[in-house]
Amino acid sequence: MRHRLPLLLGLGLAILSLPAMAEDVDEAMPPRAGLKLEAVPGVMQKAVDDFIRPGYLDLMEGTQSLAEAAHVLCDKPSEETLGDVQMTFDEVVQQWSTIEIVRVGPVIEGNRFERFLFFPDRKSTGLKQVQRIVATRDETATKAETLKGKSVAAQGLGALEYVLYGTGAEVLSSERNGFRCRYGAAIADNLKSIAAELHGEWEKPDGIQSAWNAPGPDNPLYRDGNEAATELLGILVHGVESIRDQRLRPFYAGIVKGEPDKGHPKLAIYWRSGNTMPALSANFTALQTLFNAADMQALLPDDRRSMVRAINHVLQAIVDDADQIDLPIDEAIEDEEQRVRLNRILQNTNDVLQRLNLDFGGAIGLGAGFSFADGD
């Protein structure tokens, strides 16, 4: 499995400054107390060039490899070609788990996010749709052109995971050009198409990257540096919240009413493929990478930068614990040592959320009553 996050961490962060833009922003609106407004354009540009664009490039390349492997499996089914698809699926899960924290911009247009990953699947509505397609052998699901018109739950990573690992998946290694494989290949083609669209949108010099790099009065997204800095911090805050509330708590809530949670492993994301904790680790590694690659400490007053080390420490502790949970998630919940790690992950997730939301947010002038949900 390729792990390209270290490459992101190692990228050079030397970006040309934009003093003229910073001056325009200063004139448009005074900075909040504490926010180094002159640093905002450079921080936003680093976020784009050193995290977002490389992330979508990785995703595009990964989905291209996945689609190719899926078509090879259909044409030449074997345990080896099935293993190739499953390994490439794991890589795409890692790549998506890295960039999915950026829930703004092109990914939220045209239901792209939900088409790529429909989760959580409350009441198993999406799963039932996928199972129905497989059971009825709906041929319209075997072409990406017609698949994309179906429910978002039937065309993304969750659907492909069921195809590769769900009930009946054993036919994939022996049945040439069978329905199940052709459905899986169509999903892979669909993922490839979405990833290419996202990469293309972020590569346009006059598109969203331009709006991120130059906040100002004429900017359609960010009228000033205050709004831009809030958006970037909001990605981190919402990222931690969604991981906690949609990925962690549904399958393991820690201590509930004084008693350890028995857990609900089948509510965990990617439980069939064993990617629950690798994906969680990739999520938190991505948050840490974005925080550092964008050089967000540059937004802080000099006397408040000590919090950066604390934020990094907690994020790294979460990643370390997640990487040590190497059992299937149902077994991990039953294992005392692994439960200790899960409890610690939950505690540290709450800790880092407070540090980002209250400490960092407060240091750049977001008051105690500010809500990322409504922009107050």
Side-chain angles (χ1 to χ4, degrees):
M1 184 184 298
R2 294 178 300 149
H3 293 284
R4 301 185 66 172
L5 277 173
L7 295 179
L8 288 174
L9 286 166
L11 287 171
L13 301 179
I15 304 296
L16 294 175
S17 62
L18 302 173
M21 296 175 187
E23 291 172 6
D24 290 342
V25 175
D26 279 331
E27 293 175 4
M29 182 174 288
R32 289 190 295 260
L35 174 65
K36 285 199 169 183
L37 200 62
E38 69 277 6
V40 172
V43 168
M44 297 296 285
Q45 187 168 13
K46 290 173 184 176
V48 171
D49 291 345
D50 295 341
F51 181 80
I52 296 175
R53 290 174 59 207
Y56 282 125
L57 175 61
D58 276 359
L59 186 66
M60 182 182 70
E61 293 176 346
T63 53
Q64 288 172 346
S65 297
L66 178 62
E68 180 181 346
H71 284 283
V72 169
L73 171 64
C74 295
D75 189 50
K76 300 177 180 179
S78 68
E79 290 295 335
E80 181 180 0
T81 53
L82 176 57
D84 288 342
V85 175
Q86 292 173 332
M87 180 181 68
T88 313
F89 174 83
D90 291 349
E91 293 178 355
V92 170
V93 167
Q94 287 285 301
Q95 291 153 351
W96 171 251
S97 298
T98 297
I99 197 61
E100 71 169 324
I101 66 167
V102 181
R103 298 193 183 193
V104 297
V107 76
I108 62 173
E109 298 168 0
N111 290 325
R112 286 190 181 106
F113 191 99
E114 292 77 13
R115 289 174 59 213
F116 207 98
L117 175 65
F118 178 74
F119 191 86
D121 182 11
R122 295 180 176 87
K123 299 182 180 180
S124 298
T125 303
L127 173 62
K128 292 173 184 176
Q129 293 173 350
V130 174
Q131 290 172 326
R132 186 178 305 115
I133 287 173
V134 173
T136 61
R137 296 177 175 267
D138 180 357
E139 285 292 333
T140 62
T142 62
K143 299 291 183 184
E145 296 77 11
T146 47
L147 177 63
K148 67 181 181 182
K150 293 187 178 296
S151 164
V152 294
Q155 54 179 290
L157 283 176
L160 184 55
E161 184 190 35
Y162 181 82
V163 168
L164 295 175
Y165 295 94
T167 303
E170 61 274 3
V171 302
L172 292 172
S173 62
S174 59
E175 187 178 59
R176 185 172 185 270
N177 288 324
F179 174 82
R180 191 179 188 114
C181 191
R182 288 184 290 118
Y183 175 33
I187 297 172
D189 286 339
N190 185 59
L191 294 173
K192 179 179 74 171
S193 176
I194 298 170
E197 291 173 6
L198 292 169
H199 171 69
E201 289 295 325
W202 278 97
E203 288 302 303
K204 293 177 181 177
D206 59 347
I208 188 169
Q209 66 165 279
S210 175
W212 270 56
N213 294 345
D218 298 325
N219 189 309
L221 295 181
Y222 311 118
R223 295 169 298 178
D224 53 63
N226 295 331
E227 291 185 354
T230 300
E231 176 86 300
L232 187 56
L233 180 58
I235 288 174
L236 299 178
V237 171
H238 285 310
V240 175
E241 285 179 330
S242 64
I243 295 167
R244 180 192 65 186
D245 297 339
Q246 297 180 9
R247 304 298 169 84
L248 275 167
R249 285 179 172 172
F251 79 84
Y252 186 73
I255 305 299
V256 179
K257 297 181 179 180
E259 296 293 332
D261 182 21
K262 294 181 180 179
H264 308 276
K266 290 189 178 181
L267 295 181
I269 193 169
Y270 308 125
W271 66 268
R272 288 183 176 85
S273 61
N275 277 301
T276 300
M277 298 313 296
L280 190 78
S281 175
N283 286 155
F284 278 106
T285 301
L287 292 167
Q288 186 176 24
T289 302
L290 175 58
F291 183 70
N292 292 312
D295 191 24
M296 289 184 67
Q297 70 171 351
L299 302 175
L300 295 168
D302 293 340
D303 62 349
R304 301 296 303 276
R305 291 190 176 186
S306 60
M307 74 176 67
V308 171
R309 180 180 298 178
I311 290 170
N312 269 304
H313 176 79
V314 180
L315 285 170
Q316 188 60 52
I318 295 171
V319 172
D320 290 344
D321 273 327
D323 287 344
Q324 291 297 315
I325 300 175
D326 53 3
L327 295 173
I329 202 64
D330 56 337
E331 296 179 23
I333 293 173
E334 296 293 331
D335 183 89
E336 183 175 353
E337 180 180 345
Q338 305 288 43
R339 283 202 311 273
V340 168
R341 294 188 184 279
L342 285 168
N343 287 331
R344 195 157 56 217
I345 288 172
L346 279 167
Q347 292 168 358
N348 282 333
T349 298
N350 288 327
D351 183 6
V352 78
L353 180 61
Q354 295 299 309
R355 292 179 185 275
L356 289 168
N357 194 15
L358 299 181
D359 296 350
F360 196 102
I364 64 171
L366 297 179
F370 179 85
S371 167
F372 280 101
D374 56 24
D376 291 340

